[in-house]
Amino acid sequence: MQPLMLLMLNTFISLKKTILLDSWPQLGWANKSPIFFGKDFSPHSSKSRSSKEPTIKISFGNPCNGFFDKSSFTDSSPNNNPATQANAANQPTLQTNVINGKSALFFDGNDFMTFANDVNINQPASPNFFERKIIVIAMRTGADVTTRQTIFEQGGGTRGLNFYIDNNELYFHGWNNADDDAGLTTPWGANGAGATAKFIKGSITANTNYIVTIFYDHINDKIEGFINGINIGSVNGIGRLFGQNGAVLGGVDGSTRYHDDATPGSGDYFTGHIAEIIYYNNQSLNDARRRIVENYLSAKYDIAITNQYFTFSSTHSGQVIGIGQTDFASNHADSQGPGVLRVRNPSALNNGDFLIVGHNNVAMTEVEGMDIPSIAFSRLRRTWKVGAAGSVGTVSLDIDMSANVVTSADDIVLLKDTDADGQFEDENVLTGFAATDFNAATKVLTFDNVALSNGDEFTIVSLQSTSPLPVELGTFTAQATRDQRVQLRWTTIQERNNDY
């Protein structure tokens, strides 16, 4: 499932002459998956195969995407809901190397950004109400966690949702105190006249990284919250949420309502960092999917969480995706984010089983011709690492090879580093998994019946030269001579089976 909104700022691209690759991969939101929200990978084009897409997904860790115009930060979900701030005095600052080496927006206590009115955020059309929302934020608190500070809010005094800090606690709060459906589900929540406020809260500390998740869920009659994967409780008596004022990141713009019925005007600005926000509208993010989303953010920002299945963020934090199951009604068995890898078709997915995969942030266009088995020609320098709980059985892996020249599945093997020594030259390609299909139209390689366990590292190996030159060039120049010829000069970084 993919979020409606997604903000993210962490893409780094390396251009090198390679042996196997001659084009950049084409990434898009063709598929639906909850996790790849980010362009860090480039995530930001997500391709997962669930049926849900985020309303907003913005990561503030992607300076290569050109998000240096502080007046607007791009939403990488398909819905184009950017966060904007035209007033320079209220624009947060993009700072680098904040959380696990990633960029984040710094809000100085006077900054905020807004989202335009949208049918998927605050102005529902048909039907004219919302019944579910899930908001996930990766953030760092500032030195002050006592003063009331709003991290995110939408709505006003009559209807809305918000996250805010108050007296060393993080509050998740919702309300719709107007009778908007003839008493069927409204009014509910705080109304300034003694009605019970609908909120939950959890303890937080200063200068600390957090992944916070709020569920507004009328269908299951609850507002529920998680801080770093820990359930901090839920409250029931939750009705529909009808149209309200727009969404705000980093403070209050207009008005909001708190658990104590206070209804301030603009202000209560946040002091701290926000690295990423993912927002789903009217979608069911079950417990298994929530855990996968939180593992994605945990890996990317190196934030420890409960139910952490992937512990390789120091080396393989790129485009983390996963599958898993907590119970029969809560599973996710097909996942692809904005990256090139899709994981699907687990043969034995049972309760408590999870498989999470991330790569080492090396471009698909980079190849290795030295650290390879003796009968191989070359391999991708990109490797993938596996985090797992239990066993999902075997899986099918689809890899988009648009950035590479591939002519036949017979030439390609998925090879694991079986002795975990960080090298592939001592591996036997006969123990690898041969590609079972190559779709020449989509450029997707498929590997079926692949067995993966916690800690496994794998890459893609070519058994033959499938590129125009079996060398990796260091330099190449061409110069006209006086006799109307062209003189060529080059140096090679590595070469294999070449004639010149």
Side-chain angles (χ1 to χ4, degrees), residues 97-116:
N97 197 27
V98 176
I99 306 178
N100 194 33
K102 305 296 191 298
S103 302
L105 276 188
F106 174 64
F107 293 78
D108 66 2
N110 192 47
D111 302 329
F112 67 98
M113 304 196 82
T114 62
F115 298 91

Side-chain angles (χ1 to χ4, degrees), residues 238-486:
I238 308 303
R240 293 168 175 166
L241 182 63
F242 285 77
Q244 76 269 187
N245 295 335
V248 185
L249 192 66
V252 179
D253 182 32
S255 65
T256 192
R257 182 177 293 274
Y258 295 125
H259 69 284
D260 58 3
D261 256 338
T263 54
S266 298
D268 291 344
Y269 300 119
F270 173 55
T271 300
H273 291 86
I274 296 177
E276 191 159 339
I277 175 172
I278 303 169
Y279 183 116
Y280 292 89
N281 178 63
N282 281 344
Q283 298 176 17
S284 176
L285 190 68
N286 61 38
D287 192 53
R289 291 170 176 164
R290 174 189 62 80
R291 293 188 190 187
I292 295 168
V293 171
E294 290 174 346
N295 269 267
Y296 151 71
L297 291 171
S298 170
K300 183 175 180 181
Y301 298 108
D302 195 21
I303 300 174
I305 60 172
T306 297
N307 298 312
Q308 184 171 352
Y309 308 121
F310 190 86
T311 58
F312 309 104
S313 61
S314 62
T315 59
H316 289 74
S317 62
Q319 299 174 318
V320 176
I321 60 174
I323 59 175
Q325 177 170 307
T326 56
D327 58 58
F328 181 75
S330 177
N331 60 56
H332 189 66
D334 189 341
S335 183
Q336 178 176 5
V340 300
L341 177 67
R342 177 186 179 190
V343 180
R344 61 182 175 85
N345 195 31
S347 65
L349 185 61
N350 295 304
N351 294 350
D353 294 340
F354 283 84
L355 183 75
I356 311 291
V357 184
H359 67 65
N360 60 352
N361 291 294
V362 174
M364 285 288 288
T365 50
E366 294 191 38
V367 297
E368 172 64 57
M370 303 302 289
D371 179 25
I372 56 175
S374 59
I375 64 171
F377 178 77
S378 60
R379 70 169 176 86
L380 293 180
R381 284 190 175 137
R382 174 174 292 188
T383 66
W384 287 266
K385 196 83 170 180
V386 177
S391 174
V392 302
T394 61
V395 295
S396 293
L397 301 179
D398 298 320
I399 301 179
D400 184 342
M401 300 295 286
S402 297
N404 315 81
V405 178
V406 177
T407 59
S408 171
D410 295 338
D411 299 339
I412 308 298
V413 173
L414 185 150
L415 189 63
K416 294 198 294 186
D417 176 14
T418 58
D419 55 3
D421 64 352
Q423 298 180 335
F424 290 89
E425 63 182 357
D426 57 350
E427 299 299 329
N428 183 353
V429 294
L430 298 179
T431 66
F433 299 90
T436 52
D437 181 66
F438 175 65
N439 187 316
T442 63
K443 307 299 183 184
V444 172
L445 269 173
T446 297
F447 300 86
D448 291 317
N449 301 312
V450 178
L452 296 172
S453 301
N454 187 57
D456 280 351
E457 185 175 3
F458 65 89
T459 190
I460 304 302
V461 173
S462 173
L463 302 181
Q464 298 184 35
S465 172
T466 58
S467 65
L469 291 175
V471 299
E472 183 172 354
L473 295 173
T475 62
F476 186 92
T477 61
Q479 184 177 8
T481 65
R482 291 183 179 180
D483 56 356
Q484 296 184 337
R485 295 185 180 184
V486 177

Side-chain angles (χ1 to χ4, degrees), residues 41-113:
F41 337 119
S42 126
H44 280 302
S45 313
S46 184
K47 292 183 181 180
S48 183
R49 260 93 173 163
S50 95
S51 58
K52 310 294 190 284
E53 293 185 355
T55 300
I56 304 172
K57 183 185 188 312
I58 304 180
S59 165
F60 300 107
N62 230 358
C64 269
N65 286 346
F67 300 157
F68 292 106
D69 176 3
K70 296 191 294 182
S71 67
S72 180
F73 286 87
T74 302
D75 171 20
S76 63
S77 82
N79 299 281
N80 191 27
N81 292 308
T84 63
Q85 175 55 267
N87 187 350
N90 299 117
Q91 291 172 353
T93 303
L94 178 63
Q95 296 182 342
T96 59
N97 197 27
V98 176
I99 306 178
N100 194 33
K102 305 296 191 298
S103 302
L105 276 188
F106 174 64
F107 293 78
D108 66 2
N110 192 47
D111 302 329
F112 67 98
M113 304 196 82

Side-chain angles (χ1 to χ4, degrees), residues 220-238:
N220 292 298
D221 188 26
K222 65 179 180 179
I223 288 178
E224 186 174 27
F226 297 82
I227 298 178
N228 289 349
I230 299 174
N231 189 324
I232 61 170
S234 63
V235 61
N236 57 16
I238 308 303

Side-chain angles (χ1 to χ4, degrees), residues 127-145:
N128 66 337
F129 54 82
F130 300 116
E131 295 186 306
R132 276 178 168 155
K133 289 182 179 291
I134 306 103
I135 307 168
V136 189
I137 295 179
M139 56 173 281
R140 173 180 289 176
T141 54
D144 176 14
V145 291

